[in-house]
């Protein structure tokens, strides 16, 4: 099968397609013939040598895919060959075939395409875990979530809208701000020309979800109301952060870190189940749906990476491996 | 009545006793004839002008007391004159009479003295909220709580021991370390001669409760295991903190601020009720009990402050106003 591999992770990194043996199912796994997979920032970081796959994972990048079951492990009883499914994996989705822990696989929602289903797992589980579990966002509360164009935020906006929260988001372009409002944000701030802290004001937000870090941390702690929650899912700007701890104490704030990929299998399976169960009705009814930015053929994977890296996207970037006879 | 007042809060601060009118009950309040009150670090900070009482509170310091009900507000039906009670208040306990929200008052546990009961509220509620609610400490997990000699830590050690947790604490003197072990700590580190991070090792602790701040924050984030919780209740060393945010993200750590005094009345009443209800059987059975360091007469209140300020204590410092005919 064809699979993506990273040549020389680090500054000289390059992603290319290589012929590799088709993987063989473990007892609790399924093998998926991949029809579509989502591109995530983790893939780019892995390419750059900054985010190696967790121990025990294959070197092929890729965190999520949709396709048809090609083989079933001996202890798996809830899937059969040819079932249309989507999956969350720790690595290996950028390939024609991908192994998945059967607990992290679900049937594709009624009427969804493989492309839509491939865009779901990473965004849904991350948004659920950060905004709704750790952030405990409630109806009537205010959420600030950056990166309106990211797969996670463009879905989280719809989820937060559905429960009756107020949503503030940011983006790097007026067109993205416009789209964010269409998807349900109440306010969209162009962070290249405006300062979100000045615009929103101190103590105005209940939950903030951030992947920037650096001096954003102090801004967020100012922005949060009493008992507010800041969920940090990455620190793209700067790992080092400095702030006034007295503010955190006096306002009883919570600064909570989150990462999905490296979680232990059992823990990830429980989180995946909670996320899917909570949002399944909304997914089936079409009340929330991943936003698709662009679809690339497999041999243009590098272009898909470049589009994400340049932050030109609004929604998920999806890649479709070539269809072959199985 | 006699009440403590702070002359010139700030560098020239001084605490003294003044004659003031006896307070009058609001509809939901009780008036307590104070037999004993606890001295807290908040009293010293208030004296130094660093911690003014919350808006709407009296200027008299003091967060907790025990005594007998002297008067009952018209909407209070669960207390009668002369009942022996203890109470949590936002201010005013350093006096012969103290008003308390009836929801923050409870009968003294069977067989307890006023001195013991006066030492309970602030320590129990803070320990419960930080270690058990926010920190969610579970049996078999490891707790690091600094200041073995503080009223809060000397009680929290007993509480954590009771649920089967492992307890590490620190103190500024070998004798205090020895006492901490007697009260149930598994390890007590003299922080004037030893470094707790080196001794415990990275990723060795589930819950840390800290009032130091400054460069301790980074140490605690190193010390915490994956999904560990750091509860910050003050920052005595330094308000500014700097650390590596990537560590917080990758280990999915939680940094949570907490303060009791300034909480809204409703919220504080609910927390007080949860804390008392959870630990009442253990209090009644004597399985946990506030440690009493020293008892001062009312006219030696300044000496009581000095003892706390010099960190010479192990356990609570209690002051007893003069007994007068009511």
């Amino acid at each position: 099968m064809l699979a993506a591999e990273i040549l020389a992770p680090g500054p000289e990194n390059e992603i290319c397609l290589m012929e590799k043996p088709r993987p063989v199912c473990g007892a609790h796994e399924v093998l998926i013939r991949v029809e579509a997979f989502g591109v995530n920032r983790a893939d780019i970081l892995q390419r750059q040598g900054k985010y190696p796959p967790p121990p025990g994972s294959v070197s092929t990048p890729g965190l999520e895919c949709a396709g048809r079951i090609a083989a079933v492990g001996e202890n798996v009883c809830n899937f059969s060959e040819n079932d249309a499914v989507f999956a969350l994996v720790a690595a290996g989705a950028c390939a024609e075939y991908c192994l998945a822990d059967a607990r992290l696989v679900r049937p594709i929602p009624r009427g969804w395409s493989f492309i839509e289903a491939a865009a779901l797992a990473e965004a849904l589980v991350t948004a659920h875990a950060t905004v709704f579990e750790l952030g405990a966002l409630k109806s009537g509360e205010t959420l600030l979530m950056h990166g309106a164009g990211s797969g996670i935020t463009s879905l989280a906006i719809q989820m937060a809208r559905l429960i009756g929260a107020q949503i503030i988001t940011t983006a790097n372009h007026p067109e993205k701000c416009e789209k964010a409002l269409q998807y349900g944000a109440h306010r969209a701030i162009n962070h290249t020309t405006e300062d979100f802290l000045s615009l929103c004001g101190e103590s105005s937000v209940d939950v903030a979800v951030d992947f920037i870090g650096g001096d954003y941390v102090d801004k967020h702690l100012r922005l949060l109301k009493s008992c507010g929650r800041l969920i940090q899912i990455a620190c793209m700007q700067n790992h080092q952060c400095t702030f006034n701890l007295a503010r955190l104490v006096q306002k009883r704030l919570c600064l909570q870190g989150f990462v999905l990929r490296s979680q232990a299998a059992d823990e990830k399976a429980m989180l995946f189940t909670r996320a899917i169960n909570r949002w399944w009705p909304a997914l089936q009814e079409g009340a929330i749906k991943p936003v698709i930015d662009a679809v690339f053929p497999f041999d243009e994977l590098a272009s898909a990476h470049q589009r994400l890296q340049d932050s030109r996207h609004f929604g998920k970037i999806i890649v479709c491996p070539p269809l072959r006879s199985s």
Side-chain angles (χ1 to χ4, degrees), chain A:
Chain A
M1 68 161 188
L2 281 178
E5 284 300 324
I6 294 157
L7 301 182
E12 304 301 316
N13 68 82
E14 194 182 324
I15 192 155
C16 66
L17 302 184
M18 293 175 66
E19 196 64 36
K20 294 186 72 175
R22 190 184 295 183
V24 176
C25 272
H28 298 277
E29 290 178 319
V30 298
L31 181 69
I32 298 169
R33 198 184 69 217
V34 177
E35 301 275 348
F37 63 80
V39 179
N40 287 281
R41 220 165 272 276
D43 306 346
I44 295 174
L45 292 172
Q46 183 175 335
R47 219 187 64 212
Q48 295 169 338
K50 296 174 187 167
Y51 195 19
S57 302
V58 295
S59 57
T60 301
L63 304 179
E64 57 188 347
C65 66
R68 290 192 179 276
I69 300 279
V72 170
E74 62 189 47
N75 292 339
V76 176
C77 53
N78 51 338
F79 292 107
S80 309
E81 260 187 60
N82 222 36
D83 284 356
V85 297
F86 68 99
L88 181 70
V89 296
C94 302
E96 288 187 301
Y97 289 87
C98 174
L99 287 179
D101 183 322
R103 296 173 298 175
L104 299 173
V105 179
R106 289 292 184 282
I108 288 182
R110 200 171 47 230
W112 284 37
S113 68
F114 286 117
I115 288 169
E116 290 165 335
L120 182 59
E122 182 72 17
L124 182 80
V125 174
T126 304
H128 174 76
T130 56
V131 178
F132 298 93
E133 291 200 352
L134 299 172
L137 183 73
K138 287 178 275 295
S139 177
E141 286 191 334
T142 299
L143 167 70
L144 169 69
M145 196 155 176
H146 294 286
S150 78
I152 295 167
T153 303
S154 56
L155 186 63
I157 288 170
Q158 301 171 57
M159 295 158 79
R161 183 78 189 210
L162 200 62
I163 70 151
Q166 293 289 312
I167 304 133
I168 304 167
T169 188
T170 66
N172 60 359
H173 197 281
E175 269 180 33
K176 291 192 187 181
C177 291
E178 195 48 49
K179 280 192 185 171
L181 297 174
Q182 287 164 16
Y183 280 103
H186 296 82
R187 183 170 198 170
I189 297 168
N190 181 342
H191 65 74
T192 65
T193 57
E194 296 182 301
D195 178 64
F196 65 87
L197 177 56
S198 318
L199 281 179
C200 299
E202 301 217 355
S203 299
S204 61
V205 162
D206 297 283
V207 178
V209 178
D210 181 41
F211 50 83
I212 304 294
D215 60 14
Y216 266 41
V217 175
D218 181 60
K219 282 190 171 192
H220 286 129
L221 299 182
R222 291 172 185 271
L223 195 72
L224 287 176
K225 292 181 191 173
S226 177
C227 296
R229 294 80 77 191
L230 168 57
I231 317 300
Q232 198 72 40
I233 57 178
C235 24
M236 287 172 61
Q237 185 200 86
N238 193 345
H239 285 195
Q240 222 48 28
C241 74
T242 298
F243 59 84
N244 182 340
L245 194 60
R247 180 173 291 118
L248 181 121
V249 172
Q250 282 152 11
K251 288 165 76 175
R252 289 184 281 152
L253 304 178
C254 176
L255 168 53
Q256 170 76 54
F258 177 80
V259 65
L260 179 58
R261 189 184 197 187
S262 59
Q263 290 192 22
D266 286 357
E267 201 174 8
K268 204 189 276 189
M270 285 188 289
L271 171 58
F272 184 79
T273 299
R274 292 195 304 273
I276 299 287
N277 287 355
R278 159 123 189 224
W279 298 100
W280 193 253
L283 292 166
Q284 287 279 23
E285 293 161 11
I288 61 172
K289 200 159 208 178
V291 179
I292 307 298
D293 170 70
V295 181
F296 288 83
F298 205 10
D299 56 5
E300 290 178 25
L301 177 58
S303 305
H305 271 219
Q306 197 59 49
R307 183 169 175 82
L308 182 60
Q309 206 167 339
D310 295 344
S311 293
R312 282 184 285 137
H313 60 297
F314 190 98
K316 294 288 293 188
I317 297 169
I318 302 296
V319 174
C320 293
L323 295 176
R324 297 184 172 189
S325 58
S326 64

